[in-house]
Amino acid sequence: MRKPQAGDPSRADVTPKADFLNRRQIMAGAGALAMGAMAGPAFAAGIDAKPSKYSTDAKPNTLKEITSYNNFYEFGWDKSDPAKYADQLVTDPWSIEIGGMVDKPGTYPLDDILKPVTLEQRIYRFRCVEAWSMVVPWIGFELADLLNRVGVQPSAKYVAFQTLYRPEQMPGQRQPGIDWPYVEGLRIDEAMNPLTILATGLYDEELPNQSGAPIRLVVPWKYGFKSIKSIVKISLTDKQPPTTWNQLQPREYGFYANVNPTVDHPRWSQATERRVGAGLFAGREPTLMFNGYGDEVASLYKGMDLAKFY
Ligand SMILES: Nc1nc2c(c(=O)[nH]1)N[C@H]1C(S)=C(S)[C@@H](COP(=O)(O)O)O[C@H]1N2
Ligand SMILES: [Mo]
């Protein structure tokens, strides 16, 4: 590190925000930039400025909080490791292999995936299974958009996701403990739910590496471990795919992992949560069923025993 000097260009001079956020879209010649629709500094990046009906009006955590307290075991086990080590990850070029039960399988450059999408801001509650939470202003698009573009075949019942495996840039992958690469999965109706997004940004910035750059899943009604980072592979299957934490500790972490204050973790209560950044004397907050997204998702689990399918 060196101290900034008078006369140094600021980042704003070097990289205009719109460029910074939508570099890939711009390079791909995207028409998605709604520059005319800017509605103040929060949208200076030119993302679609209309507030999402899915956004919470709870106060978002700061960018600093969101990017300095992370779980990204590819970079280490401490909450501070990802912010320290994730810079070494090279995220451009990037492509995602999409296969299995789809009409148009292929390895798609991220630029091509993003070209036709309209990015929007989604301010979501985010609840880790470890009983801490944040409120995060993501920028992204619905996973359903992408799945519809590649054409999901009727036989597909699940979507499997895989994170990059690149131990030279991910020091945690050189350690034992997890059977890399990190994998996750959703049932197809969960994947198609409009709350389920692929995020490429945070506030008005491109997604920082420690947050799962360049593209990560966000499933706000499920525990955080479902929201897999740095995705390189998506496959449609007819069988429930293996998932990393379920394989590691099947009694503690299920496939569904819906936020549920009435089903405790074997080693701690899930009834309340600690909001990161709330301060030393702030009380714990009650955890909400489906993390507060029951209106949108409770119907997906009608008739299911949620203590059994945890
Ligand atoms: N590839 C990968 N994805 C991951 C993880 C991980 O270690 N590796 N951790 C998960 C867990 S446990 C949580 S709580 C969230 C944390 O996301 P955040 O660091 O952006 O808050 O990412 C999830 N996605
Ligand atoms: Mo987590």
Side-chain angles (χ1 to χ4, degrees):
M1 288 292 280
R2 74 186 248 292
K3 275 201 193 137
Q5 318 273 300
D8 275 358
S10 73
R11 196 190 67 190
D13 298 329
V14 176
T15 316
K17 280 253 160 158
D19 245 48
F20 189 69
L21 174 66
N22 283 312
R23 183 167 44 93
R24 290 170 198 273
Q25 287 195 324
I26 289 164
M27 288 182 352
L33 286 186
M35 300 303 285
M38 286 196 249
F43 301 103
I47 55 168
D48 186 343
K50 71 179 181 310
S52 169
K53 64 176 172 176
Y54 298 116
S55 286
T56 170
D57 45 24
K59 184 170 174 274
N61 280 83
T62 64
L63 183 64
K64 176 94 191 152
E65 285 160 353
I66 297 167
T67 57
S68 55
Y69 187 87
N70 297 98
N71 277 335
F72 199 168
Y73 300 109
E74 283 83 341
F75 296 100
W77 288 84
D78 278 3
K79 296 284 184 284
S80 57
D81 283 339
K84 273 190 222 146
Y85 303 120
D87 266 2
Q88 50 189 303
L89 178 65
V90 176
T91 59
D92 194 1
W94 194 273
S95 52
I96 303 184
E97 184 191 336
I98 307 181
M101 295 165 171
V102 294
D103 296 333
K104 291 176 241 165
T107 298
Y108 294 91
L110 186 55
D111 294 339
D112 293 351
I113 289 175
L114 297 184
K115 199 188 278 187
V117 308
T118 301
L119 297 175
E120 61 173 297
Q121 183 181 54
R122 293 281 178 99
I123 306 173
Y124 281 163
R125 283 182 294 278
F126 187 88
R127 169 63 156 80
C128 175
V129 75
E130 298 164 328
W132 53 264
S133 65
M134 297 201 207
V135 175
V136 184
W138 304 107
I139 294 164
F141 59 99
E142 293 177 11
L143 173 62
D145 285 358
L146 178 60
L147 295 180
N148 289 332
R149 273 159 65 199
V150 295
V152 174
Q153 297 177 348
S155 50
K157 301 284 182 285
Y158 295 91
V159 189
F161 303 88
Q162 199 177 103
T163 292
L164 178 71
Y165 179 68
R166 194 184 283 161
E168 1 25 302
Q169 293 171 10
M170 294 175 138
Q173 290 182 337
R174 307 198 289 262
Q175 308 296 321
I178 288 178
D179 184 14
W180 309 107
Y182 194 100
V183 288
E184 258 305 336
L186 295 172
R187 222 168 56 185
I188 193 79
D189 55 347
E190 298 175 326
M192 289 296 193
N193 189 277
L195 286 177
T196 303
I197 60 168
L198 288 169
T200 57
L202 201 52
Y203 276 95
D204 54 2
E205 318 242 332
E206 213 170 64
L207 201 61
N209 282 5
Q210 62 265 43
S211 303
I215 185 162
R216 62 97 54 89
L217 186 70
V218 181
V219 194
W221 72 95
K222 291 176 179 282
Y223 291 122
F225 66 85
K226 298 296 290 182
S227 293
I228 182 174
K229 297 177 170 182
S230 306
I231 296 168
V232 292
K233 192 171 172 189
I234 299 178
S235 352
L236 283 289
T237 90
D238 58 359
K239 291 191 188 60
Q240 186 177 300
T243 57
T244 289
W245 280 98
N246 178 247
Q247 285 182 308
L248 272 173
Q249 308 268 14
R251 275 183 352 95
E252 302 191 350
Y253 309 104
F255 175 82
Y256 282 92
N258 292 314
V259 175
N260 188 339
T262 72
V263 176
D264 286 340
H265 186 277
R267 292 182 281 129
W268 58 83
S269 165
Q270 295 291 26
T272 64
E273 63 201 50
R274 174 181 68 86
R275 176 66 52 81
V276 171
L280 219 44
F281 303 105
R284 296 178 69 85
E285 296 187 22
T287 287
L288 305 173
M289 187 63 205
F290 298 117
N291 203 22
Y293 297 99
D295 286 352
E296 287 85 10
V297 302
S299 62
L300 300 177
Y301 310 103
K302 241 178 92 192
M304 266 176 75
D305 178 350
L306 295 177
K308 189 166 168 221
F309 296 95
Y310 57 92

